Amino acid sequence: EVSEMSERSNQNVAHGLAWSYYLGYLKIVLPRVKASMEEFSRANPNLPACRETWKLHILVPLSCEVYDDLEKADSNIQYVTDLTETTLNRAGIKKRVYKHSLYTVRDEDNKHWHCALEFAAPLQALHAMSQEECAALGREQRLEQAKLFYRTLEEILQGSRECAGTYRLIAYEDSGEAESHFLSREILWHLRQQRHEEYAVREGTQPPPLPAALSSTELNLQVSASDLPQPLRSHCS
């Protein structure tokens, strides 16, 4: 009965998606990100190397609006190339390929910042579910599930030793179509923040504050108690 109630209220959707994303993808690829960036940097010495941002930057739009082409989402974001592939035998698939794309993000001074960038793919499933009548996932529920997905994924990754220092979650609320460069500004804030944080570690001091105009979107990630994931059984066997 508890399981049926949870399924009817979609309480385990985001929780399950977050764990599946971590176990089936992030736990596999994140430990290899820095090595891929190192290899790329050696092969391309003409490009500036910023080790502070040698991470996989994962975009988490709370609207679940995921673009297959980042360049169409924001013209200040341009694809550069793919990083070194990781090939593994996985779930019966021989030589399954995992790879990340490197992008350059242009700032207001026409300076280019390079980073590995991609959307959190499970959000596409949440968005698709909200379009399917039989899934019974309305727009408000989708937003709550997106927030829960982010919070759950953040907690999972914070507890993962293998993934420490290899990722940056960029959660944001869409500002609307009027701001054509909203996404690039959001990414740039995180890239600058990482450099500030690294500067503080090296110098043993507090980093200089970022300009107010670059402060990241303040997100209200509170999730109602009824939307928190529930166990599938009422007792442990």
Side-chain angles (χ1 to χ4, degrees):
E1 291 179 0
V2 172
S3 178
E4 291 178 359
M5 290 173 61
S6 295
E7 290 174 6
R8 284 198 298 269
S9 59
N10 299 304
Q11 289 176 337
N12 288 322
V13 173
H15 189 252
L17 284 175
W19 272 104
S20 177
Y21 186 44
Y22 168 69
L23 294 173
Y25 178 64
L26 295 181
K27 190 176 181 180
I28 298 170
V29 302
L30 287 181
R32 298 171 171 83
V33 168
K34 288 187 181 294
S36 294
M37 296 293 289
E38 179 74 47
E39 186 174 335
F40 176 82
S41 182
R42 288 197 302 267
N44 299 271
N46 56 313
L47 292 178
C50 180
R51 294 178 182 273
E52 297 88 350
T53 58
W54 281 7
K55 303 174 182 178
L56 181 61
H57 296 78
I58 304 170
L59 301 174
V60 186
L62 299 183
S63 67
C64 297
E65 292 285 348
V66 173
Y67 291 85
D68 291 325
D69 191 341
L70 269 168
E71 295 165 317
K72 291 182 179 179
D74 190 321
S75 60
N76 279 346
I77 304 172
Q78 295 294 319
Y79 167 80
V80 177
T81 188
D82 290 330
L83 297 178
T84 306
E85 298 177 350
T86 295
T87 304
L88 298 171
N89 294 334
R90 184 76 175 170
I93 302 173
K94 294 291 186 180
K95 298 181 180 179
R96 182 168 183 174
V97 175
Y98 298 87
K99 66 179 180 180
H100 309 293
S101 295
L102 186 72
Y103 288 86
T104 179
V105 185
R106 186 173 68 247
D107 67 14
E108 61 277 3
D109 298 320
N110 207 36
K111 177 183 176 181
H112 290 258
W113 301 63
H114 293 83
C115 66
L117 191 64
E118 62 188 57
F119 282 99
L123 294 178
Q124 283 185 311
L126 274 179
H127 191 275
M129 285 180 66
S130 68
Q131 308 299 313
E132 294 287 338
E133 185 176 347
C134 60
L137 187 73
R139 185 173 181 178
E140 290 185 4
Q141 286 180 305
R142 185 183 71 194
L143 176 59
E144 292 297 304
Q145 290 297 309
K147 292 178 181 179
L148 182 55
F149 171 83
Y150 170 76
R151 288 179 55 188
T152 304
L153 182 61
E154 184 179 43
E155 290 176 2
I156 293 170
L157 288 171
Q158 286 176 350
S160 173
R161 293 182 180 179
E162 304 99 314
C163 300
T166 64
Y167 67 92
R168 182 86 173 193
L169 297 180
I170 304 178
Y172 60 91
E173 295 176 312
D174 300 65
S175 64
E177 296 181 0
E179 296 187 48
S180 57
H181 299 305
F182 167 80
L183 183 55
S184 60
R185 286 199 299 271
E186 196 70 18
I187 295 168
L188 285 166
W189 186 91
H190 282 269
L191 295 177
R192 287 172 170 135
Q193 180 68 19
Q194 288 172 87
R195 289 196 177 186
H196 277 62
E197 291 169 355
E198 185 65 22
Y199 171 85
V201 171
R202 290 199 306 265
E203 300 297 324
T205 60
Q206 290 295 322
L210 288 172
L214 297 176
S215 62
S216 183
T217 306
E218 293 185 3
L219 300 173
N220 178 11
L221 294 174
Q222 295 298 317
V223 180
S224 60
S226 62
D227 287 313
L228 293 175
Q230 302 294 325
L232 294 179
R233 297 185 181 181
S234 58
H235 65 278
C236 298
S237 57

